[in-house]
Amino acid sequence: MNDILRSPEMEKLAILVEEASRATSEGIKRFVEPASGTLRRAVSRRHHIVFGRRGSGKTSLLRKAAADLTVDRRPIAFVDLEPFKGHSYPDVLISVLIESFERFEDWLETAAIHPATKKSFWERLFGATPTRGAFNRKKASELSQKLESVIRELKLQLHSQDSAELQRITKRRQETAVQGRVGGNVGIPDVAQVSSEIAGTNKANSEEETREAFRRSKIDFLHRNVLEYRHIFNDLAELSDGASFLFLDDLYHIRRSDQAHLLDYFHRIAKGNNLWLKVGTIRHRSQWYIHGDPPVGLKLGDDADEIDLDLTLEKYSLAKTFLLTILQGFVDECSGPPTKQFLADGAVDRLVLASGGVARDFLGIFRRSIDEAIERLQREPRHYRGPKIGAEDVNLAVGKYGDIKLEEFKRDTLEDQQNLEKAFNRVIDFCTRKANANCFLLEQGSDSSEALLIQELVDLRLIHLVRSRVTVSGRPGKVYKAYMLDVSQYTGWRKRRGFQMIEFWRQGSREQLRRASLIYEPDILDF
C-alpha cells in the first residue's frame, strides 16, 4: 500500500503549512496574489482600505507591498494594531504614533543607507536587492535623531495623566544698580589743596512670581503637533525623492468608536504630504468614517479607495483555483508529490467548502485532515477510502477546527459578543431544526439589526455568502441572498434523516435554493 501520507515530504509539508497559519514577514516569499492587480494597487500612491475576513490574505498583501516598496527604497512603516486592543483614546493614537515613528526610524537606520551589496540584509529579508542607491547618511542620521526626540516626547505624554490639574510657576528676577558719589576738599597750610571723591555702586534685587493654573490635555498636545509631524514626512520625501507609506494592519482590533479618529489624525498628517496610508481591516467590524461637521476619518471614494479580498463561495471555481495554487506552492517548496496523489477529489471540494474561501482556514483544515487520515490508516490499514485524504477525513478535521474559529470569534467581539452569539445560535437553530438544510435565504437590502449581525457573522467566517441574488417561487418582487452555515456547525447533522446538503456550486442546484422554507425571517419565527 502506498504510504505517501507518512512520507518525509508530507511531514515537511504539514510543518510548513502549520508554520504559515499566521502571516509573517518571511511569508512574503510564498505570496499568491488573490486577484489580478491587487498588489499593484497596494503599492500605488493612493490611500487604500483593504477589506477581508480573518485569514483572507490582508496581512500577506500588505507585507508583500511593504517589502516591494522597501526594495525600492521607499520609506515604509508596518504597524500591527492588535497589540493596542482595548487601549482608550487618545492613548491609543499616541501609542500608534510612537510605533509608526519607531518603524520609520528603523527604515532610516537600515534600508535607507544599506548598500545594495549588503546581501545578508536584502536577500534574507526581501529576496531581492534595490536598484536605487543608498541615501545621504548624514541627512538620514539627522532625521533619525529628530524622530527619536519626537518619540521621547510622545512617550512622556503617553505615561502622564490626562486632564490632571497642573500649575506653572514663572519667576522673574530683576537687578537694579544704584550709583553714588562722596567728595570734599582737604586744606593743609602751605601745601597744595587736595581734592578727594569716593564713588560706589549698590545693587537692588527684586523678584516677581507668576502662577498659572491649567489642565493637561493630550488631545490638545496632538493637535498642536500635527504641523511638526507633517514636516517630518516632508523631510522624508526630500531625503528619498518620493513618497512614504504607512501600513496599519488589523484596524478592527481598535475600539470601533476610536477607529475613525485614529485614521483622521494620520490623514491630516498625510494629506498633500506624499504619505500614503494602507489600512487592513474587516469590513463590518470597522468604522472608518463618521459624517459630521467636520467629518472624521477616511471617506471611501473621496479620501481613499477600497481593495476587497473577500473571495467568497459565490465564486466557487475561482476560490478553488486560488486555494489549490497556495497549497501547490507549499508542495513545491518541500518537493512533495502532486496533490492528486494524496487528496481525493471529494476532499478538495470539502476543503474549499469548509474554508469558506479563506486561505488560512483552508490550510488549517488541510493540516488537520492529514492527521485524521493517518490515524484512520493506523486503525484500519485496508480501509475502503484508501491512502488518500478523503471527504470524511476533512469532515472530522472541520469539527475540531471549528473550536479555533469560535475562540477567535470570542477574542474579536469583546464589545458586542452577546448579541452576535444570540444571532448565530438563531441561525444554527433555523438551519438544523427548521429548514433542515445547510443554507438559508435573507431578503436582499434588509437593514434590520438581525441582517447587520449576520453581515458581521459573515466577516467572522461563521456564515458564508454563496449566492448574492436568488428569487423564490411565490414571493414576486423580492430578491434574496443565499448563505451557508459554516460546515463545522452541522457536520453531525448531515447523517440525520431529512437534512439536506445543498450543493450550490454544482450545475442544476439553483432550484434547490429557491424554496420558501429556506427564508430566514427571525421577526416572525418562533424560537
Side-chain angles (χ1 to χ4, degrees):
M1 181 181 62
N2 187 358
D3 200 13
I4 193 171
L5 292 177
R6 284 175 282 199
S7 66
E9 292 81 9
M10 286 298 294
E11 184 177 350
K12 183 178 179 181
L13 175 61
I15 292 172
L16 284 176
V17 168
E18 190 169 340
E19 290 176 346
S21 60
R22 294 285 292 182
T24 62
S25 55
E26 292 81 8
I28 59 173
K29 298 172 184 177
R30 305 188 188 104
F31 175 75
V32 177
E33 194 169 21
S36 178
T38 52
L39 180 58
R40 178 183 53 78
R41 296 181 66 201
V43 299
S44 66
R45 298 182 183 188
R46 172 70 170 159
H47 301 313
H48 282 109
I49 300 180
V50 182
F51 294 112
R53 292 165 289 173
R54 244 183 185 267
S56 62
K58 299 184 301 298
T59 301
S60 295
L61 174 64
L62 294 178
R63 285 196 180 278
K64 174 61 175 173
D68 286 359
L69 289 165
T70 302
V71 173
D72 195 33
R73 291 199 193 270
R74 301 298 173 190
I76 71 102
F78 189 99
V79 180
D80 179 4
L81 296 178
E82 185 172 2
F84 310 111
K85 182 190 297 186
H87 289 207
S88 58
Y89 195 87
D91 283 353
V92 65
L93 174 54
I94 296 174
S95 298
V96 176
L97 277 167
I98 291 170
E99 182 74 7
S100 301
F101 287 142
E102 286 181 341
R103 299 290 73 77
F104 279 114
E105 187 180 14
D106 289 343
W107 179 87
L108 285 165
E109 296 173 355
T110 55
I113 58 175
H114 283 345
T117 54
K118 191 171 183 178
K119 293 187 178 181
S120 60
F121 173 77
W122 295 105
E123 293 286 352
R124 178 174 57 86
L125 294 177
F126 310 107
T129 54
T131 55
R132 295 208 298 166
F135 300 128
N136 185 289
R137 281 181 172 269
K138 183 180 178 182
K139 290 184 178 180
S141 178
E142 290 173 352
L143 188 50
S144 179
Q145 291 173 16
K146 186 176 181 180
L147 278 171
E148 190 175 342
S149 175
V150 167
I151 291 166
R152 280 198 303 270
E153 192 175 19
L154 282 165
K155 286 182 176 179
L156 285 174
Q157 284 291 322
L158 179 63
H159 297 297
S160 64
Q161 182 180 347
D162 200 14
S163 301
E165 294 285 352
L166 302 175
Q167 189 177 66
R168 183 186 292 117
I169 301 175
T170 306
K171 291 186 178 182
R172 183 182 176 190
R173 178 170 294 194
Q174 187 172 6
E175 190 177 86
T176 306
V178 181
Q179 291 188 339
R181 289 178 178 272
V182 178
N185 295 322
V186 179
I188 301 175
D190 301 324
V191 179
Q193 192 175 48
V194 178
S195 176
S196 174
E197 185 177 89
I198 302 172
T201 301
N202 292 322
K203 293 182 178 180
N205 295 323
S206 63
E207 190 175 86
E208 180 180 324
E209 183 176 280
T210 303
R211 294 177 179 269
E212 180 184 6
F214 67 97
R215 186 184 295 274
R216 177 189 288 123
S217 172
K218 295 184 180 182
I219 291 178
D220 287 347
F221 167 84
L222 291 166
H223 289 331
R224 287 195 303 269
N225 282 276
V226 168
L227 285 178
E228 182 178 356
Y229 302 155
R230 284 176 58 83
H231 289 154
I232 288 173
F233 288 101
N234 186 56
D235 292 342
L236 263 177
E238 185 177 335
L239 172 72
S240 62
D241 190 28
S244 304
F245 296 82
L246 174 58
F247 296 85
L248 299 174
D249 192 28
D250 287 347
L251 177 71
Y252 66 93
H253 284 303
I254 304 300
R255 290 179 179 175
R256 196 178 305 203
S257 58
D258 297 334
Q259 292 171 7
H261 293 278
L262 186 145
L263 293 181
D264 186 80
Y265 191 84
F266 281 103
H267 185 224
R268 287 159 59 192
I269 296 173
K271 190 171 183 180
N273 209 26
N274 227 352
L275 170 64
W276 303 101
L277 308 177
K278 308 292 179 175
V279 184
T281 195
I282 295 174
R283 186 184 296 272
H284 294 97
R285 302 291 302 162
S286 307
Q287 185 176 38
W288 53 90
Y289 180 76
I290 300 173
H291 181 74
D293 187 16
V296 177
L298 288 175
K299 186 176 182 181
L300 289 177
D302 291 343
D303 304 319
D305 289 330
E306 70 171 270
I307 298 176
D308 190 351
L309 297 187
D310 272 328
L311 190 59
T312 66
L313 294 177
E314 184 174 17
K315 299 177 181 178
Y316 189 85
S317 60
L318 288 176
K320 183 176 179 178
T321 300
F322 171 63
L323 296 172
L324 286 176
T325 301
I326 293 175
L327 179 59
Q328 189 61 52
F330 286 98
V331 173
D332 293 342
E333 188 173 339
C334 64
S335 302
T339 54
K340 287 187 177 181
Q341 289 188 20
F342 59 83
L343 265 178
D345 290 340
V348 173
D349 281 327
R350 193 59 52 87
L351 278 168
V352 175
L353 190 68
S355 70
V358 176
R360 186 188 301 167
D361 292 344
F362 179 85
L363 295 174
I365 297 168
F366 167 73
R367 170 66 185 88
R368 286 158 180 78
S369 299
I370 295 175
D371 291 341
E372 294 295 338
I374 290 175
E375 187 177 332
R376 167 176 57 80
L377 290 170
Q378 286 175 340
R379 290 194 313 266
E380 303 177 64
R382 299 184 180 278
H383 195 282
Y384 71 93
R385 290 204 298 271
K388 292 184 179 182
I389 297 172
E392 287 304 316
D393 299 316
V394 175
N395 286 335
L396 291 171
V398 167
K400 296 177 181 178
Y401 191 80
D403 294 336
I404 294 175
K405 283 189 176 183
L406 291 176
E407 287 175 12
E408 291 181 347
F409 164 74
K410 291 176 181 178
R411 287 201 304 268
D412 292 344
T413 57
L414 297 176
E415 298 176 13
D416 47 5
Q417 182 177 317
Q418 189 175 7
N419 289 336
L420 285 165
E421 280 185 341
K422 287 180 179 179
F424 186 44
N425 288 330
R426 286 193 289 269
V427 170
I428 293 173
D429 190 69
F430 175 77
C431 288
T432 58
R433 299 182 184 278
K434 298 184 181 299
N436 290 319
N438 61 329
C439 296
F440 67 96
L441 303 177
L442 187 69
E443 187 172 355
Q444 197 176 81
S446 173
D447 59 355
S448 67
S449 58
E450 189 77 8
L452 295 176
L453 289 171
I454 285 175
Q455 287 298 329
E456 290 198 43
L457 290 170
V458 170
D459 281 344
L460 292 164
R461 301 129 58 229
L462 296 175
I463 294 173
H464 308 286
L465 177 68
V466 299
R467 194 157 291 168
S468 57
R469 185 179 177 83
V470 177
T471 57
V472 176
S473 302
R475 299 291 178 100
K478 290 194 173 184
V479 180
Y480 299 86
K481 287 186 177 182
Y483 296 92
M484 182 192 77
L485 180 64
D486 190 68
V487 176
S488 64
Q489 301 303 312
Y490 61 84
T491 51
W493 291 85
R494 293 181 309 104
K495 297 179 181 179
R496 198 188 73 169
R497 182 175 297 177
F499 189 86
Q500 184 184 13
M501 276 278 295
I502 298 176
E503 297 181 335
F504 55 86
W505 65 95
R506 300 192 186 280
Q507 290 185 348
S509 64
R510 185 174 296 274
E511 288 301 315
Q512 297 178 33
L513 283 172
R514 299 186 67 226
R515 302 202 317 261
S517 60
L518 297 179
I519 297 173
Y520 180 66
E521 297 174 307
D523 294 338
I524 62 174
L525 290 171
D526 180 18
F527 286 104

